Amino acid sequence: RPCHSLPMPTEQITFRLRVIIDGELIISRDYAREHAAVRAYDVVIANPPFGVVKDDKNKSRVFHLANEYSTTEIDHAIALKSLSAMKDDGRAALILGGVKSNDPKARSDAYNSKAKRQFYFTLYNAYNVTDHFTVSGDLYQKQGAGWPVDVIVINGRGKSARKLPAVDVPRIYHDWNQLAELVNTAPGNVLGTEPQLETVGGQSRPQPATRPD
């Protein structure tokens, strides 16, 4: 039972949760404000918009979450709210705004900024993060965006054994072949399907995935 969080702009620029199975819309909610069914889904995949959202008075909107955690970063808020829908032994993949630098010291400092430090401290203490890496924005710059993204892989609830990203700075993938090697040597992706990247003419491209029964 997968859960997929997507941005869907309206006149109020709200962001909605959509749960899609075989192309069928199951649930749609304003997920910047609401919670999904708690611990109901085997798999959660979230790729929210990044950055700060302004209210009608041009002030940064603050999202208040559980355990006295609050943030102005919309991707951090949607990610944690999405994860509230994951079962205790569920799996998740988050695609969030990364750090635009290749220098390890500058990257460490950026992950140690207040917003990122608080978010990852909250995330790593509540969820078993098993991998965390950065995909360079150069890979999809031709599509109109060039900001790097962080991919966080989660296997169940409970404190992660990994060090926070300010200490263990996420590695960066700069080309499709590197990503293909990562996917094809993994035991399976977050949905439990077989790897679906193959290299053609020196460039890897995703192939259609088969949803597990």
Side-chain angles (χ1 to χ4, degrees), residues 10-207:
T10 67
E11 292 181 359
Q12 300 297 323
I13 315 181
T14 58
F15 300 95
R16 295 179 179 273
L17 169 70
R18 297 182 118 188
V19 179
I20 302 174
I21 301 176
D22 289 339
E24 181 181 359
L25 175 63
I26 307 299
I27 296 174
S28 178
R29 292 181 177 173
D30 182 345
Y31 215 40
R33 299 177 182 177
E34 300 179 27
H35 287 278
V38 176
R39 307 191 184 201
Y41 296 97
D42 300 305
V43 175
V44 172
I45 303 173
N47 181 17
F50 313 146
V52 174
V53 176
K54 300 291 185 178
D55 61 19
D56 55 3
K57 297 181 180 179
N58 202 35
K59 293 183 178 180
S60 298
R61 184 175 170 188
V62 179
F63 302 95
H64 300 280
L65 291 92
N67 299 324
E68 300 182 354
Y69 173 79
S70 62
T71 182
T72 58
E73 302 291 328
I74 185 69
D75 54 330
H76 294 174
I78 292 179
L80 289 176
K81 285 191 175 184
S82 298
L83 287 171
S84 70
M86 188 186 78
K87 292 181 179 179
D88 287 349
D89 60 350
R91 289 173 292 168
L94 309 176
I95 303 174
L96 308 177
V99 172
K100 199 167 187 177
S101 175
N102 292 323
D103 178 69
K105 175 64 166 57
R107 287 170 57 75
S108 175
D109 290 344
Y111 284 109
N112 203 34
S113 65
K114 182 179 179 181
K116 288 188 181 295
R117 182 178 68 251
Q118 290 181 343
F119 169 72
Y120 284 114
F121 178 83
T122 301
L123 181 71
Y124 276 53
N125 273 277
Y127 297 95
N128 180 27
V129 176
T130 58
D131 202 1
H132 184 171
F133 58 90
T134 299
V135 178
S136 172
D138 294 340
L139 292 185
Y140 54 92
Q141 194 168 25
K142 291 182 179 180
Q143 300 175 17
W147 197 266
V149 295
D150 277 12
V151 178
I152 299 101
V153 180
I154 293 170
N155 188 2
R157 294 176 184 267
K159 186 175 181 178
S160 174
R162 293 179 61 90
K163 296 178 181 178
L164 293 175
V167 178
D168 185 7
V169 178
R171 65 196 183 279
I172 306 175
Y173 287 91
H174 291 281
D175 63 53
W176 290 110
N177 289 331
Q178 290 179 318
L179 284 175
E181 183 179 357
L182 170 68
V183 173
N184 292 332
T185 56
N189 63 29
V190 72
L191 290 174
T193 60
E194 291 301 314
Q196 299 293 326
L197 278 181
E198 58 181 47
T199 303
V200 179
Q203 290 296 316
S204 300
R205 291 292 181 266
Q207 303 300 310

